[in-house]
Amino acid sequence: EFRKSFKERYPDVKGVTAVGKACGDKWKEMTKEEKAPYVDMATRKRAEYDKTIAAYNQKISAGGGSGEEEATAEESEKSKSEVNDDDDESEEEDED
């Protein structure tokens, strides 16, 4: 939220450092009540992350592998089918 409003007010400032510094200064000025929604969001996201990483670690310890090989194979198959679909479409157009 802050980044968006900061960039609208200062469109010429492109540096990440300047935006981060301004954001940090704003955070220091905020009261606990103003920070509460962000702290709650961070807590929820951390719990979701912990759950996901625990499931991943359990999968790894069970010998499930990293999943990267499966994802790569899946992407390769998808890529092949998309390429083949494109070839099929162009052949159909040639027949007309």
Side-chain angles (χ1 to χ4, degrees), residues 32-95:
K32 286 185 179 182
E33 292 79 25
E34 292 172 320
K35 291 180 182 180
Y38 303 105
V39 172
D40 292 343
M41 184 187 329
T43 302
R44 284 192 310 274
K45 288 188 177 211
R46 179 61 191 215
E48 182 181 321
Y49 167 80
D50 288 340
K51 182 180 175 183
T52 302
I53 200 72
Y56 172 79
N57 287 334
Q58 185 176 8
K59 180 180 175 182
I60 295 298
S61 66
S66 67
E68 288 182 24
E69 299 85 15
E70 294 171 12
T72 304
E74 233 175 78
E75 290 171 4
S76 296
E77 290 300 317
K78 182 177 180 183
S79 298
K80 287 178 189 174
S81 67
E82 287 175 356
V83 169
N84 290 338
D85 288 346
D86 291 342
D87 291 343
D88 292 343
E89 289 174 6
S90 60
E91 287 176 7
E92 290 173 3
E93 291 173 1
D94 292 340
E95 291 175 5

